[in-house]
Amino acid sequence: QVQLKESGGGSVQVGGSLTLSCAASGTSYNMYCLGWFRQAPGKEREGLALLDGDGKISYADSVKGRFTISQDNVRTPLDSQDNAKITLYLQMNSLNLEDTAMYFCAADHHCTNGPAVYRYRGQGTQVTVSS
């Protein structure tokens, strides 16, 4: 099992910045792939960024150059059974009205299909951008 809890959402004006955090705990196996996705009312989930255990990063075109995904330098092992704790971040700059959504962090062992469909996800944190 993986537990994920997001924080850092809030209200910001167009052009502003926010940094989201995600406290993740579970097995390193199930947290090999970490990422962020968002969902606005009436819209489908949109994968935003992912980071794998080898440090490979990718972004959706809609946020490339504006959002940055990162994690703590070390995936802290908690015990000998591969349980670990990670803090994942999403730095968001140059926010616009279309960025208003609920933001979720997600984890899975498999990265291929992107964070929007990862097996584990948190409850989300709301980001509202206003003019």
Side-chain angles (χ1 to χ4, degrees):
Q1 288 291 334
V2 175
Q3 289 78 45
L4 302 161
K5 183 173 178 58
E6 304 89 344
S7 61
S11 297
V12 64
Q13 290 190 322
V14 170
S17 299
L18 278 176
T19 299
L20 306 182
S21 300
C22 174
S25 61
T27 62
S28 293
Y29 179 87
N30 285 321
M31 295 193 295
Y32 178 77
C33 308
L34 294 169
W36 291 91
F37 71 92
R38 67 187 177 190
Q39 188 166 24
K43 295 188 177 180
E44 295 186 353
R45 294 178 188 175
E46 178 187 13
L48 302 175
L50 71 88
L51 184 157
D52 72 19
D54 293 324
K56 181 180 177 181
I57 292 174
S58 63
Y59 296 97
D61 288 342
S62 60
V63 303
K64 197 174 295 183
R66 299 190 299 125
F67 290 11
T68 303
I69 188 172
S70 63
Q71 66 176 46
D72 284 357
N73 288 334
V74 176
R75 294 195 171 198
T76 305
L78 297 179
D79 55 43
S80 61
Q81 297 186 5
D82 191 37
N83 289 310
K85 183 172 64 175
I86 302 166
T87 302
L88 185 71
Y89 303 97
L90 186 68
Q91 170 70 42
M92 305 185 295
N93 298 325
S94 301
L95 288 163
N96 57 56
L97 297 176
E98 291 71 34
D99 294 318
T100 294
M102 186 73 79
Y103 284 70
F104 300 84
C105 64
D108 203 328
H109 176 71
H110 303 285
C111 305
T112 306
N113 294 321
V117 296
Y118 283 177
R119 180 178 181 183
Y120 303 101
R121 60 184 181 269
Q123 294 188 334
T125 186
Q126 178 68 37
V127 172
T128 302
V129 184
S130 59
S131 58

